[in-house]
Amino acid sequence: MILNRRFVLVSRPQGVPREADFHLVEKPVPNIGENEFLIRNHFVSIDPFMREWLKRDTYLPAIAIGDALRANTVGRVEASKHPRFQVGDWVQGLSKIEDYSIGGQGNIYGLVDVTRVSSPSAYLSVAGATGLSAWFAVEEELQPRAGQTLLVSGAAGAVGSIVGQLARMRGARIVGIAGGPKKCEQLTDRYGYHAAIDYCGKDVVALSAAIAEACPDGVDLVFENVGGICLDATLLNINKNALVVVCGLISEYNSEPYGTRQLMQILLKSAVIRGYLLISYAAKLGEGRRAIIDLVADGKIVYDEHVEHGIENVLPAFMRLFDGTNEGKLMLQLI
Amino acid sequence: MILNRRFVLVSRPQGVPREADFHLVEKPVPNIGENEFLIRNHFVSIDPFMREWLKRDTYLPAIAIGDALRANTVGRVEASKHPRFQVGDWVQGLSKIEDYSIGGQGNIYGLVDVTRVSSPSAYLSVAGATGLSAWFAVEEELQPRAGQTLLVSGAAGAVGSIVGQLARMRGARIVGIAGGPKKCEQLTDRYGYHAAIDYCGKDVVALSAAIAEACPDGVDLVFENVGGICLDATLLNINKNALVVVCGLISEYNSEPYGTRQLMQILLKSAVIRGYLLISYAAKLGEGRRAIIDLVADGKIVYDEHVEHGIENVLPAFMRLFDGTNEGKLMLQLI
């Protein structure tokens, strides 16, 4: 009998999540029925927005107490009574943090072609929700063009690092905000940013001044992943008719919201703040994935993965997103 | 020699403006030159956003220390060396708070037809920037339709009272937020609102609950004039793909910004916040004015004016906007 370890929510975290909020539960792997298949999960995506899933209903229901955490996973079919999925196939889907999952019960898993990428894990990073979030943000939401300045916060993060490269190809000036000199060096030397701003040790006034210096023509487009003083400092630098696309507000996930004080800038500049969720582009995901995989194959995009190991390490891995110690798209390898 | 009294800024107000921040300066009326004309200002519009003009550069430069306050005015030509403007003509323009102004020096004054309205003052209210702000907000920005719910804050205010009536004609459910039972009664009995919410004495939780009750299908469209807890309570009730048009943030003009805490809702609901300035529709003002005047003439729109008297009363009149004691579009009659 094979045991399935599942990473289960036992109490809703208040503030920073603690070990006591979760429990690793072992249960036998159930037998598969007709039109079902058994997946051995190899890679689990660890993403900032999971913190919101732990907190409340979002575009998906909150994780229920007693349920395993939701995550994008890449795995391999180990048994199948489903006509479309064969043993040995690699699949990707919005699944749970557990060793084994059952597919074909209304869960949506897709077959992925691992011959086109250097590792199946790419379907959680550049060819997964991360790369696709960057793709549709740049190609559909922001559409940066020559003469415009795009400011990206969380620029060295999994999505931001790809946004910089995609946006640069379109001819805009790309400026990134990140934490610490090492990440800032990556922005300009690896991820295609024209300029980098280190937010560490800066208050909103100092950060605003740094943005003004790095964006001498002001800011036309914003890709916001952080919120807090980062967004306020950004709003103080926007141009008329600016567009602020909000992809995340990571600075506010573990605490009470900071309170955005510079909303007046939206009025003064006839600007727009737009919330951006990848699921809005559900119908076009295949098209985006093909485009991104082609860019990687042609050497036009680089990407980094930060792989932690072992299902018992979900929480310390997750916390890296908030202390900024991940270096590339964060994921957990289970096998 | 005629003396011109001008209401001049002498120090930039900190917080709530005080009498000491302004001075009434008397100077002789200058002679007009070629292609100029002398206007006797009859009505001066008193608007919340003037507080921002006193504070900083907006879409217009900040009022300079020593300069008369900027305001929309309606006046009559008393002398003219300009071919298009004759003595006795009524004109409207973005002018200054003073008894007399000189037109034709690059200032933009327009002739207005007072035979189509009950008083020339209408060109500061329903047929002026107030009515036009409501018109383009409803017809261009919000475009409410049957099945949608539109929530308006500052709903009994000069713009909000007309927004309610215009939006109701388009078939949407219209809900207004205002301060006190008298204004709430006006919303439903006079301004076409289906439901009214009294914000007085409510914190963000109570206000959010009141909005939820008045908007059982959630909020699709927002016309925001207030900001502060009003906006936060609103954001807690928005539907997917909601549109929040920000026309003003009056609760924040005299104080440090409150800090909008519920911006996460924009992300969760793929919603949009858009800053709205009437000047974006500068090219269509004539068309909008004709449409609104027709609606008034046909008895389809009612409007209220609150007229205070005397240039020495600018500040007490202005403060009525912030304590909510104006009843209709606030203006000052100088003659």
Side-chain angles (χ1 to χ4, degrees), chain A residues 14-62:
Chain A
Q14 304 297 315
V16 177
R18 301 161 308 142
E19 290 286 353
D21 295 323
F22 308 94
H23 194 56
L24 209 53
V25 175
E26 285 194 331
K27 278 196 178 171
V29 174
N31 293 321
I32 52 170
E34 282 307 307
N35 290 310
E36 291 186 344
F37 53 101
L38 180 69
I39 303 151
R40 178 68 170 106
N41 292 313
H42 285 236
F43 296 97
V44 173
S45 182
I46 307 288
D47 299 293
F49 207 74
M50 293 165 75
R51 182 66 188 85
E52 290 295 308
W53 291 346
L54 295 174
K55 194 187 290 180
R56 54 175 153 190
D57 294 339
T58 60
Y59 53 92
L60 293 169

Side-chain angles (χ1 to χ4, degrees), chain A residues 49 52 56-59 231 246-249 252-253 257 259-268 270-277 280, chain B residues 49 52 56-59 231 246-249 252-253 257 259-268 270-277 280:
Chain A
F49 207 74
E52 290 295 308
R56 54 175 153 190
D57 294 339
T58 60
Y59 53 92
L231 178 54
V246 178
C247 178
L249 296 167
E252 306 188 357
Y253 293 167
T260 303
R261 290 165 177 75
Q262 301 299 337
L263 218 54
M264 180 69 75
Q265 294 297 319
I266 296 296
L267 179 54
L268 297 179
S270 298
V272 168
I273 301 182
R274 189 192 292 162
Y276 166 56
L277 295 174
S280 304
Chain B
F49 207 72
E52 290 296 307
R56 53 175 154 191
D57 294 339
T58 61
Y59 55 92
L231 178 54
V246 178
C247 178
L249 295 167
E252 305 189 357
Y253 293 167
T260 303
R261 289 165 177 76
Q262 300 299 337
L263 219 54
M264 179 69 76
Q265 294 298 319
I266 296 296
L267 179 54
L268 297 179
S270 297
V272 168
I273 301 182
R274 189 191 291 162
Y276 165 57
L277 295 174
S280 304

Side-chain angles (χ1 to χ4, degrees), chain A residues 184-193:
Chain A
C184 284
E185 198 180 295
Q186 280 186 308
L187 290 188
T188 51
D189 294 1
R190 185 163 168 79
Y191 298 140
Y193 283 82

Side-chain angles (χ1 to χ4, degrees), chain B residues 7-9 11 13 15-24 44 46-47 50-51 54 69 97 254 308-323 325 330 332:
Chain B
F7 190 73
V8 165
L9 180 66
S11 62
V16 176
R18 301 163 307 144
E19 289 285 353
D21 295 322
F22 308 94
H23 195 57
L24 210 53
V44 173
I46 306 289
D47 299 292
M50 294 165 74
R51 183 66 188 85
L54 295 175
L69 267 60
I97 304 184
N254 281 328
E308 296 279 322
H309 294 267
I311 197 169
E312 65 280 9
N313 289 319
V314 173
L315 187 57
F318 187 49
M319 295 318 295
R320 286 183 177 275
L321 294 169
F322 299 98
D323 64 21
T325 55
L330 188 68
L332 204 60

